[in-house]
Amino acid sequence: MKLSVIIVNYNVKYFLEQCLISVLQASKDIETEIFVVDNNSVDGSVEMVKERFPEIKLIANKDNVGFSKANNQAIRESKGEYVLLLNPDTLVEEDTFTKTVQFMDEHPDAGGLGVKMVDGKGLFLPESKRGLPTPQVAFYKMFGLSSLFPKSKKFGRYHLGFLDKDEIHKIDVLAGAFMLMRRKTLDEVGLLDETFFMYGEDIDLSWRIKLGGYENYYYPKTRIIHYKGESTKKGSLNYVFVFYKAMIIFAKKHFSSSLAGVYSFFINIAIYLRAALSLLRRFLTSITVPFIDGILIFLSLHIITQFYEDIKGFQYPDDLVLPTTIAFSIIMMVSNYFSGGYDKPVKLKNNAKGVATGAIIVLIAYSLLGESYRFSRAIILMGGLASLGIVLLVRSLYHLLQIPGYSLSQTTAKRIAVVGKPDEIERVTKMLHNINLNTAVIAEINPNSQSEPNDHFVGKLHQLPEIIEGFKLNEVIFCSRDIEPEAIINQMSRLSSYDLEYKIAPPESVFIIGSNSVNSTGELYSLVDLNSIDSPSSKRNKRLLDILISLIAVVLSPVLAIFNKPLRRVFPQLFSVLFGSKTFVGYSNTIRQKIILPKIKTPVIYLDNQINNQNIILSYTDKAILNYSNNYHWQKDLRIIWNFLFGSKKSV
């Protein structure tokens, strides 16, 4: 056996499917065995592999044993002269295996090899080649010097930015997404260190290969797409903590005790500094636009009040004007928030709805106040009109300044090119329609530039730039059955100057895959339901319902608590819901991790307990909660709360 390919998977079925298709294609000209080690996924990954890829050797773990241990399981069973550790969120070119194995055959000093990696937009990933993270190198990276001077031989050693990305080089560290290693080398230096649960194990093994007298090579003559972060969510604070803690383990293992102590000290500083800056940045980002709205509305209402006083010839008391204008501004901001006025991309109708709702709330509050606390209704109406003008004007200014998320000219309709043969294009087009994707244009592109002209297509692959400009396209979908990975990557690199999204449609799949962000799962078109409880509108509606119900319950509790035992039981938690530390309805952390659901606040009413109390089998519980998350609506919460308080036994 020449090559053993090992893929460790955890809940990324759609990426795994695409990866395996490309791996099988790349294995045609080389004797290869393929292992998938699944770390107890609950997204149907195991069933998908069994059904679609019966020839692949599957190891289905009953627990998440971590990246290192899972890889070692397959390495011990494998027979290949070379072992490739490959991430599931990758796509390899059809000649990747033959080229890299041939290079290893020709270079007996090579213990390990990594390749050129590009992201979901075809952009080069600098982690394709890395240096050893010594304390000095780590310091430069953690405090931003490596980002400021990426090509410096002094500051840019973490990603070796001073080395030509298109030339072969000897490097210190291989990327865990693609690690091709000689079996003989692994026998001598050992397998992955299972002390590392996730992250750091690639650095540790790469360095042990160097210490064993072998070289690690960066080989850019073939490329892979690495969607980068799909299974690990590299933008999260949890990633920061886990990754840098792994670096501390590495330092204690390979550096002297004094050096490891210094390393650990700086890393711990970096962890908490980065976490604090991340939280501060998120807070400032979320509060900036509402704050600007609030200040401008506050100032406009003051000006309107002074103008009205001058006309009428009298003056409102200062102790009435200030709190009234502050309350008016806050109501407008809160109403705008719950109406979706701060969602991106911006929708002016949501801002108009928010201001109108806020004005109605202010007028209702006005009617309930005593005469001595009342402002003029004319001031309120003028303030509402001024507020509308302000929010619309501010967003128009953001549009002119081209601030992301505030483009007023953008449309929701997609303008898409699909590259493939007619039957595959038809399948993909039907799928786009079945998921109700709003498309303005679907241009069909012939993947074969050498074929005869065909009226079915608007053009051929080599004409893609002209077609993009002519149809004003914003997305390209490649049918991977009809166009090889190398050609896909070539086109993505060729079109890098265009502002495009790229997706790949694997054959016979219910997924169309795309990912351009390390901080999210990327866009995914799917015939399978995805979670809606995590959408901005659902979060807003859920929070608004929590506030209203908790306020009503607090006000009515003196009466209801006498007759209602469930309310007496949850009364101490009402204020936690009101102030946002809890939510009324939700699921336990155990069930969330089991069936991979979005994280929500600790609930007062646990859905899994409610369903299990009805003696319903566990599998039904999972499906019911998954349905709740996938198809969330605030009315479900309202019904569940009513049933909890007044004794109905209906399920979710």
Side-chain angles (χ1 to χ4, degrees):
M1 184 69 63
K2 194 68 174 177
L3 176 65
S4 299
V5 179
I6 298 170
I7 302 168
V8 174
N9 176 70
Y10 182 64
N11 289 318
V12 284
K13 175 176 73 173
Y14 36 93
F15 283 94
L16 175 64
E17 179 184 40
Q18 176 178 257
C19 176
L20 290 174
I21 291 170
S22 72
V23 166
L24 288 170
Q25 188 176 2
S27 305
K28 288 180 179 178
D29 298 324
I30 188 168
E31 188 183 12
T32 307
E33 60 177 354
I34 305 167
F35 289 83
V36 169
V37 187
D38 186 83
N39 269 337
N40 196 30
S41 297
V42 295
D43 65 347
S45 293
V46 170
E47 292 75 14
M48 183 273 294
V49 173
K50 287 179 178 177
E51 180 180 343
R52 289 212 61 189
F53 307 99
E55 70 275 32
I56 286 173
K57 298 178 181 179
L58 176 65
I59 301 174
N61 290 324
K62 300 303 181 186
D63 299 291
N64 186 353
V65 299
F67 182 79
S68 297
K69 187 173 182 179
N71 272 302
N72 288 345
Q73 285 178 274
I75 293 174
R76 293 187 180 101
E77 289 189 23
S78 65
K79 303 282 193 299
E81 179 184 348
Y82 297 105
V83 174
L84 171 63
L85 308 186
L86 185 68
N87 270 23
D89 51 356
T90 57
L91 180 76
V92 301
E93 292 182 340
E94 57 274 13
D95 61 359
T96 294
F97 296 166
T98 54
K99 281 186 174 180
T100 53
V101 167
Q102 182 180 350
F103 181 88
M104 295 289 281
D105 284 342
E106 294 171 354
H107 294 76
D109 65 323
L113 177 144
V115 297
K116 185 177 184 179
M117 299 190 297
V118 299
D119 67 8
K121 274 202 163 184
L123 301 176
F124 174 72
L125 291 173
E127 57 266 34
S128 300
K129 47 183 173 62
R130 288 184 291 173
L132 184 69
T134 62
Q136 185 181 39
V137 171
F139 177 86
Y140 294 149
K141 174 175 169 52
M142 290 184 292
F143 291 94
L145 292 172
S146 61
S147 298
L148 289 173
F149 309 102
K151 295 188 180 297
S152 166
K153 289 188 176 182
K154 181 178 179 63
F155 299 122
R157 293 205 61 82
Y158 189 85
H159 286 136
L160 303 176
F162 52 88
L163 297 180
D164 189 337
K165 68 179 185 295
D166 296 317
E167 297 295 330
I168 298 170
H169 300 286
K170 292 179 181 179
I171 58 174
D172 293 330
V173 177
L174 305 170
F178 185 105
M179 292 183 73
L180 178 64
M181 293 164 291
R182 197 180 300 275
R183 165 85 54 185
K184 179 178 177 236
T185 303
L186 289 176
D187 290 340
E188 293 177 16
V189 305
L191 305 185
L192 293 166
D193 186 341
E194 295 178 12
T195 307
F196 299 90
F197 182 83
M198 184 178 291
Y199 312 123
E201 65 289 313
D202 51 354
I203 299 175
D204 173 70
L205 182 53
S206 297
W207 188 236
R208 283 191 282 123
I209 289 173
K210 294 275 289 183
L211 294 177
Y214 292 91
E215 297 289 351
N216 291 316
Y217 280 90
Y218 165 68
Y219 181 78
K221 305 306 178 183
T222 186
R223 300 160 299 180
I224 69 169
I225 296 177
H226 181 207
Y227 289 97
K228 193 186 176 190
E230 290 305 329
S231 55
T232 57
K233 308 300 182 290
K234 293 191 177 182
S236 67
L237 287 178
N238 181 62
Y239 166 77
V240 174
F241 280 95
V242 175
F243 178 77
Y244 285 126
K245 290 295 184 184
M247 293 301 94
I248 292 175
I249 296 173
F250 176 82
K252 290 179 178 178
K253 181 175 179 179
H254 291 288
F255 300 152
S256 65
S257 57
S258 59
L259 201 57
V262 173
Y263 191 92
S264 300
F265 173 74
F266 280 112
I267 280 187
N268 278 303
I269 290 177
I271 288 174
Y272 293 103
L273 179 62
R274 184 164 172 178
L277 289 175
S278 179
L279 291 172
L280 179 62
R281 183 172 62 250
R282 290 182 187 181
F283 173 75
L284 292 177
T285 300
S286 63
I287 202 69
T288 299
V289 175
F291 180 76
I292 292 173
D293 285 350
I295 290 295
L296 292 176
I297 291 171
F298 175 82
L299 292 174
S300 69
L301 197 61
H302 253 292
I303 293 170
I304 290 169
T305 302
Q306 290 177 4
F307 176 74
Y308 188 80
E309 288 174 339
D310 291 342
I311 292 176
K312 293 295 184 180
F314 67 89
Q315 189 171 4
Y316 289 106
D318 290 339
D319 58 354
L320 174 63
V321 173
L322 184 61
T324 302
T325 50
I326 291 175
F328 183 92
S329 304
I330 292 174
I331 289 171
M332 285 298 178
M333 287 189 296
V334 172
S335 176
N336 210 20
Y337 167 76
F338 281 110
S339 299
Y342 298 114
D343 289 352
K344 294 180 183 178
V346 64
K347 294 180 180 178
L348 293 182
K349 65 178 183 180
N350 289 345
N351 295 112
K353 182 172 67 175
V355 171
T357 304
I360 292 171
I361 292 171
V362 171
L363 287 171
I364 292 173
Y366 171 90
S367 66
L368 298 175
L369 293 174
E371 193 68 35
S372 59
Y373 294 103
R374 288 186 177 183
F375 236 30
S376 167
R377 273 192 291 262
I379 292 178
I380 294 174
L381 292 173
M382 286 189 289
L385 291 173
S387 300
L388 178 61
I390 285 169
V391 295
L392 297 182
L393 184 63
V394 166
R395 280 140 189 81
S396 299
L397 179 62
Y398 293 161
H399 166 74
L400 292 175
L401 294 174
Q402 297 185 341
I403 296 176
Y406 289 93
S407 174
L408 302 180
S409 59
Q410 64 186 1
T411 61
T412 55
K414 295 272 190 178
R415 305 180 69 85
I416 299 173
V418 183
V419 183
K421 294 182 179 178
D423 61 328
E424 192 68 355
I425 290 178
E426 183 181 3
R427 183 184 72 84
V428 169
T429 302
K430 284 181 178 178
M431 181 175 171
L432 296 177
H433 291 156
N434 286 339
I435 61 176
N436 296 318
L437 185 69
N438 185 12
T439 56
V441 172
I442 298 181
E444 302 182 7
I445 312 294
N446 190 339
N448 187 356
S449 296
Q450 306 303 319
S451 66
E452 293 297 319
N454 189 324
D455 292 339
H456 191 81
F457 300 105
V458 299
K460 298 179 181 180
L461 189 59
H462 70 275
Q463 299 172 309
L464 198 48
E466 293 84 355
I467 296 170
I468 290 168
E469 291 177 357
F471 286 89
K472 294 181 169 40
L473 302 177
N474 49 35
E475 185 170 302
V476 178
I477 299 176
F478 297 101
C479 299
S480 62
R481 190 203 69 179
D482 303 325
I483 179 169
E484 295 179 338
E486 181 179 6
I488 294 174
I489 297 174
N490 285 339
Q491 291 299 322
M492 290 164 61
S493 301
R494 176 184 173 218
L495 302 171
S496 59
S497 61
Y498 294 91
D499 185 19
L500 292 171
E501 302 294 320
Y502 301 101
K503 291 185 173 60
I504 298 174
E508 302 177 16
S509 176
V510 295
F511 301 104
I512 299 176
I513 299 165
S515 171
N516 306 313
S517 170
V518 298
N519 299 325
S520 71
T521 57
E523 281 195 37
L524 173 73
Y525 299 155
S526 172
L527 294 176
V528 180
D529 286 335
L530 299 176
N531 294 307
S532 66
I533 197 171
D534 206 31
S535 69
S537 59
S538 293
K539 288 178 179 178
R540 252 194 335 270
N541 292 336
K542 189 173 182 62
R543 179 69 190 127
L544 181 59
L545 182 68
D546 281 346
I547 292 172
L548 293 175
I549 296 296
S550 56
L551 283 173
I552 293 171
V554 168
V555 171
L556 298 180
S557 59
V559 177
L560 290 179
I562 299 173
F563 306 102
N564 192 286
K565 185 176 179 181
L567 182 60
R568 289 200 301 272
R569 195 164 71 245
V570 302
F571 181 79
Q573 302 180 72
L574 291 180
F575 291 97
S576 297
V577 175
L578 182 61
F579 293 111
S581 60
K582 288 188 176 183
T583 185
F584 265 114
V585 181
Y587 36 76
S588 69
N589 197 45
T590 301
I591 200 83
R592 179 183 73 82
Q593 292 176 340
K594 179 184 177 187
I595 55 179
I596 315 301
L597 298 174
K599 187 175 182 179
I600 60 175
K601 295 172 184 175
T602 303
V604 173
I605 304 170
Y606 285 87
L607 289 177
D608 24 338
N609 290 345
Q610 290 298 105
I611 299 170
N612 288 337
N613 285 343
Q614 300 171 36
N615 297 316
I616 298 173
I617 59 174
L618 185 60
S619 61
Y620 183 87
T621 303
D622 294 352
K623 291 177 182 177
I625 295 176
L626 192 60
N627 178 65
Y628 169 81
S629 178
N630 284 345
N631 304 287
Y632 176 78
H633 193 278
W634 63 268
Q635 292 177 353
K636 288 189 175 186
D637 276 1
L638 186 61
R639 185 170 64 251
I640 292 165
I641 294 168
W642 180 271
N643 293 342
F644 175 80
L645 291 176
F646 300 106
S648 172
K649 295 298 180 182
K650 292 181 181 179
S651 60
V652 180

